[in-house]
Amino acid sequence: QVQLQESGPGLVKPSETLSLTCAVSGYSISNGYYWGWVRQPPGKGLEWIGSIYHSGITYYNPSLKSRVTILVDTSKNQFSLKLSSVTAADTAIYYCARVSGSQGFQHWGQGALVTVSS
Amino acid sequence: EIVLTQSPGTLSLSPGERATLSCRASQSVSSSYLAWYQQKPGQAPRLLIYGASSRATGIPDRFSGSGSGTDFTLTINRLEPEDFAVYYCQQYGSSPYTFGQGTKLEIK
């Protein structure tokens, strides 16, 4: 079955760039679907960050667009998130997910807590 | 941006009862691209319902979704102890995809 696993530093300093990778197993990214990132500040709700198609086409949340880059690496079957100029407000659990255009966010990673602090 | 408002914020019920959760959109949701997710503490969200009324793979039939346009409902019949969690609605018909603020279903 499809499995996703986030990885990356759990602590990032203010003004620096947050970087996370999502490794996908059980399905080849090259075969289709969108692949997305969602975050959740501790104790709060969910926020969509952006999505990428296997071809590299991206869609970003306008609220974060100026700071977000999502890339896909089909050779490693993974995709990544970069969020620049982070502040404490970016502290959250970051989830990666497989996204179906008709069925929503079907499969999720377990999440990675990223804390922004000096 | 489509704003989703969920009600109630918290719902207190007993096992065996029926839960009715509401999600109202600030504008019509395209092609009923409305999903419901369940989230338990320390876990990722799990897709329950997509397309407003279709159950995702492996979801028990006590979960059902309905609605169109701007008003949507998640109904959970015969609540089981494992159903007590936070539920989110989400529209994925137009970018940016947005989530409701969540409804916490707690044991009475």
Side-chain angles (χ1 to χ4, degrees):
Chain A
Q1 73 277 22
V2 182
Q3 292 187 313
L4 299 93
Q5 178 67 59
E6 305 88 349
S7 63
L11 181 63
V12 180
K13 290 182 168 55
S15 80
E16 296 189 344
T17 296
L18 178 160
S19 295
L20 292 172
T21 297
C22 181
V24 179
S25 59
Y27 186 85
S28 173
I29 287 179
S30 299
N31 286 344
Y33 286 104
Y34 283 87
W35 304 86
W37 290 95
V38 173
R39 70 179 182 178
Q40 184 173 38
K44 296 187 178 181
L46 300 163
E47 179 182 33
W48 173 70
I49 299 170
S51 300
I52 189 166
Y53 197 52
H54 68 86
S55 62
I57 297 173
T58 53
Y59 297 90
Y60 297 140
N61 191 324
S63 68
L64 298 168
K65 187 175 182 178
S66 64
R67 299 194 291 131
V68 172
T69 301
I70 298 176
L71 299 173
V72 65
D73 186 339
T74 54
S75 67
K76 295 182 179 179
N77 214 39
Q78 63 186 33
F79 58 107
S80 63
L81 168 70
K82 291 188 184 300
L83 181 65
S84 64
S85 305
V86 298
T87 69
D90 295 310
T91 293
I93 299 172
Y94 286 77
Y95 296 101
C96 59
R98 190 180 86 171
V99 184
S100 165
S102 61
Q103 298 185 21
F105 289 56
Q106 298 173 305
H107 301 280
W108 296 67
Q110 65 184 26
L113 174 62
V114 179
T115 301
V116 178
S117 175
S118 56
Chain B
E1 172 176 321
I2 297 178
V3 176
L4 300 178
T5 303
Q6 293 186 239
S7 61
T10 302
L11 185 58
S12 299
L13 294 170
S14 300
E17 293 190 300
R18 172 187 295 174
T20 303
L21 287 65
S22 175
C23 177
R24 177 162 290 178
S26 60
Q27 54 189 284
S28 185
V29 175
S30 175
S31 301
S32 291
Y33 284 165
L34 191 287
W36 290 93
Y37 301 86
Q38 176 194 69
Q39 188 178 34
K40 297 180 180 179
Q43 296 185 17
R46 176 175 71 145
L47 177 65
L48 299 175
I49 301 288
Y50 64 89
S53 61
S54 298
R55 274 188 300 277
T57 302
I59 301 304
D61 61 7
R62 65 178 182 274
F63 290 89
S64 63
S66 62
S68 64
T70 60
D71 288 293
F72 299 88
T73 300
L74 174 69
T75 301
I76 312 172
N77 290 311
R78 304 178 306 278
L79 283 166
E80 299 283 347
E82 62 267 26
D83 298 336
F84 292 91
V86 178
Y87 292 83
Y88 293 95
C89 60
Q90 179 211 26
Q91 67 80 21
Y92 54 98
S94 62
S95 182
Y97 304 150
T98 50
F99 293 88
Q101 82 279 16
T103 289
K104 182 179 181 180
L105 178 58
E106 65 177 24
I107 299 177
K108 187 174 182 179

